[in-house]
Amino acid sequence: MFTIGDIRNIAIQIERNGEKTYRQASDKATDPKIAETLAWMADQEKKHGEWFSSLQPGKKLNSEQKELEQMGKNLLQEMVKDNPFLLKPGELEQLDETGNVLQRSRQFEEDTIVFYQFLLEFLDDQEAKDQMRHIIEEEKEHIRHIELMIDSAAVTD
């Protein structure tokens, strides 16, 4: 149903939304530790978005497949357009401790993985499935980094 191009586009949009949300929260944070953490998260989201942008579909599409790809792209982009996914606007700025920011960031990343796993079920192309599994592994690695930061924050707090 969806192509690698569709999945790539939705992943880019989710990562851009996350970067924008983390960056705005970092700019508004009054606690330097929280601001630094949010800036790091924004940088990570930006790197993921750049990585997804570099993914290229492996096979040429015929005109019917191109039309279906465009429909899928439009549908998926509309689902996440201007939506920070499951982070509400201003939510991170309201958190007052680094540990709370990191915990909520981890939840956001976990929710992203669940959404990507949902999309995986709609893929019928093996190459697209493999690409999506790789994306999911990238997000899991992101969570491992956040957990290290949580452990570090617990030690220093």
Side-chain angles (χ1 to χ4, degrees):
M1 179 176 206
F2 296 121
T3 66
I4 293 173
D6 296 331
I7 299 309
R8 177 182 163 271
N9 291 330
I10 193 71
I12 290 168
Q13 187 66 53
I14 288 171
E15 299 298 334
R16 284 181 182 159
N17 291 349
E19 178 191 358
K20 179 181 174 184
T21 301
Y22 286 134
R23 188 97 43 222
Q24 288 173 342
S26 175
D27 291 344
K28 293 178 182 177
T30 55
D31 181 321
K33 236 174 146 178
I34 292 175
E36 181 182 340
T37 299
L38 292 167
W40 178 84
M41 291 299 300
D43 291 343
Q44 292 298 303
E45 296 295 334
K46 182 177 180 180
K47 286 178 187 177
H48 281 174
E50 290 168 351
W51 182 78
F52 293 135
S53 293
S54 72
L55 294 178
Q56 297 299 318
K59 47 184 164 174
K60 302 277 185 202
L61 302 177
N62 63 36
S63 60
E64 183 180 331
Q65 290 170 324
K66 285 180 185 178
E67 188 176 322
L68 287 172
E69 180 182 46
Q70 185 61 45
M71 287 172 44
K73 176 182 173 182
N74 292 341
L75 172 67
L76 289 171
Q77 284 183 335
E78 195 59 37
M79 288 170 64
V80 296
K81 184 180 177 189
D82 297 326
N83 181 347
F85 207 50
L86 298 178
L87 286 175
K88 297 177 183 98
E91 178 179 354
L92 293 179
E93 295 99 317
Q94 295 173 8
L95 298 175
D96 58 358
E97 294 180 15
T98 304
N100 291 339
V101 171
L102 291 170
Q103 291 288 349
R104 185 58 188 107
S105 297
R106 181 176 59 193
Q107 290 171 350
F108 169 74
E109 299 299 325
E110 290 169 349
D111 292 341
T112 300
I113 290 170
V114 169
F115 184 67
Y116 288 168
Q117 288 171 330
F118 166 77
L119 289 177
L120 184 63
E121 299 302 316
F122 290 97
L123 295 173
D124 53 6
D125 179 78
Q126 188 58 47
E127 184 181 358
K129 286 181 179 185
D130 292 343
Q131 293 269 1
M132 180 54 82
R133 286 185 185 105
H134 186 74
I135 289 169
I136 291 167
E137 287 307 311
E138 284 286 314
E139 293 298 333
K140 287 178 181 178
E141 182 64 25
H142 200 171
I143 290 172
R144 285 189 281 276
H145 284 291
I146 293 169
E147 288 173 346
L148 288 173
M149 291 179 71
I150 289 170
D151 292 344
S152 176
V155 170
T156 59
D157 284 345

